[in-house]
């Protein structure tokens, strides 16, 4: 639900602007407010799990998300809708890391096999969002985009209440690091909002402010140690650091590619947006073919060998995109390139995440989950912005200039994929036999 709601509203924004009598820059905050609220509450995840337990927090977040969805459906103006979306985003920001942590706790060393099943709906949600929204808007009011969540949320809440184990005995209440929260949450919001507007003066100022707050949090966390909101000493572990670096680069490659390819097909090849949507399908198909096999492939080949092969396949797909941008598009070759990228990147995420979780103690899982999610969330906008800056304003220039610009942008994407391959070389050969044990080299 949280993943679906991150994309489902995009299709309805023009209609919302007219129905609620709001300017489009204002109504865009229905989307931006939700995404920034996700980032705002994310640093609290580890502390809240330690404070009240994973089951209690998950149930409260799900209840808050479902209630906020209903309120969004009843909104009477643009400001009220934006406000309810912020509440919805704050609850949604805790749901994704909570789900990961609960699965990691239950699965143990079998996480790759279990995660391959759990990840499928999360993968499908961004692809299905526009389709679901289009179907709803064809037959009903925009309000049903949000009211649709009520029956789903009530059913999910009942199932979670019935089946999630009571873990209150594992709670270890600790004081909230208010200074750390005051530094880290605004740092995430400033950085993510600023990097989205890096071409403007306010964007650059916010990015610099976010980086300064990150640096101040690093100094503060070193002083606080175990009592910090996120204990940075986790990054001292080689396997955990390798997992974080791999996921950061993977998210960057995924989002940067998802931005570059459609822009190239529309501006560089002159295709219509609806045709571009169909041409992008091979990448999703590649990921969907890989994910269900992750458990078996990880058991057979191990973490490092599987992620190495995945990174090389994705790199080969990116090289094909450079060739196509410079020499002209051949749609059969494009389909192969996108399928390679999708299948390759699908073979990296779950094994590297599993290695990261297996390298920390069970009691450190809440904080480790928070750290992994924060770094992942930063990778996408950073690398997307860098690729967009490389592209510059030449996407709609002359065909020769446009092909060079896109070739250079896809070349940067290849550099990113090469870095991703190097990061996978640092991952362990296989998962540790016991949770909390050191992963083998």
């Amino acid at each position: 639900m949280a993943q679906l709601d991150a994309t489902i509203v995009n299709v309805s924004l023009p209609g919302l602007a007219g129905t609620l009598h709001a300017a489009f820059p204002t109504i865009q905050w229905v989307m931006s407010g939700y995404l920034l609220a996700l980032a705002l509450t994310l640093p609290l995840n580890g502390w809240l799990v330690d404070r009240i337990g994973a089951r209690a927090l998950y149930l409260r977040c799900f209840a808050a998300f479902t209630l906020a969805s209903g309120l969004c459906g009843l909104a009477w103006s643009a400001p009220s809708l934006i406000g309810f979306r912020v509440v919805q985003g704050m609850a949604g920001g805790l749901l994704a890391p909570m789900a990961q942590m609960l699965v990691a706790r239950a699965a143990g060393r079998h996480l790759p096999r279990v995660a391959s099943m759990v990840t499928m709906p999360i993968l499908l949600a961004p692809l299905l969002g526009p389709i679901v929204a289009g179907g709803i808007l064809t037959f009903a009011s925009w309000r049903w985009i949000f009211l649709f969540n009520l029956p789903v949320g009530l059913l999910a809440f009942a199932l979670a209440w019935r089946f999630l184990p009571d873990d209150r005995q594992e709670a270890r209440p600790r004081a909230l690091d208010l200074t750390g929260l005051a530094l880290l949450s605004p740092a995430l919001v400033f950085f993510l909002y600023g990097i989205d507007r890096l071409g403007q003066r306010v964007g650059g100022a916010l990015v610099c402010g976010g980086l300064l707050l990150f640096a101040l949090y690093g100094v503060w966390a070193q002083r606080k140690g175990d009592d910090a909101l996120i204990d940075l000493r986790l990054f001292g572990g080689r396997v955990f650091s390798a997992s974080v670096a791999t996921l950061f680069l993977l998210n960057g490659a995924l989002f940067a590619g998802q931005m570059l390819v459609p822009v190239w097909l529309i501006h560089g090849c002159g295709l219509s947006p609806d045709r571009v949507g169909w041409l992008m399908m091979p990448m999703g198909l590649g990921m969907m073919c890989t994910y269900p096999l992750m458990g078996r492939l990880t058991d057979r080949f191990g973490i490092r060998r599987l992620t190495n092969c995945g990174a090389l396949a994705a790199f080969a797909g990116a090289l094909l995109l450079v060739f196509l941008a410079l020499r002209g598009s051949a749609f059969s070759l494009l389909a192969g390139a996108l399928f390679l990228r999708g299948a390759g990147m699908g073979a990296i995420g779950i094994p590297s995440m599993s290695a990261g979780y297996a390298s920390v103690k069970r009691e450190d899982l809440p904080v480790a989950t928070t750290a992994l999610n924060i770094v992942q969330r930063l990778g996408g906008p950073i690398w997307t912005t860098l690729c967009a800056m490389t592209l510059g304003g030449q996407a709609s220039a002359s065909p020769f200039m446009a092909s060079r610009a896109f070739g250079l942008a896809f070349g940067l994407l290849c550099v990113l994929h090469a870095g991703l391959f190097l990061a996978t070389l640092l991952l362990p050969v296989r998962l540790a036999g016991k949770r909390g044990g050191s992963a083998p080299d």
Side-chain angles (χ1 to χ4, degrees), residues 264 269 320-330 333 403-404 407:
W264 167 59
C269 303
L320 283 173
L321 292 176
V322 176
F323 174 81
L324 290 170
L326 295 175
R327 299 294 182 183
S329 58
L333 200 57
S403 65
R404 287 189 60 187

Side-chain angles (χ1 to χ4, degrees), residues 183 212-225 228 232:
L183 291 172
L212 177 61
L213 289 174
F214 278 130
L216 291 174
Y217 177 78
V219 174
W220 173 257
Q222 289 289 342
R223 289 176 54 189
K224 291 284 287 184
L232 296 185

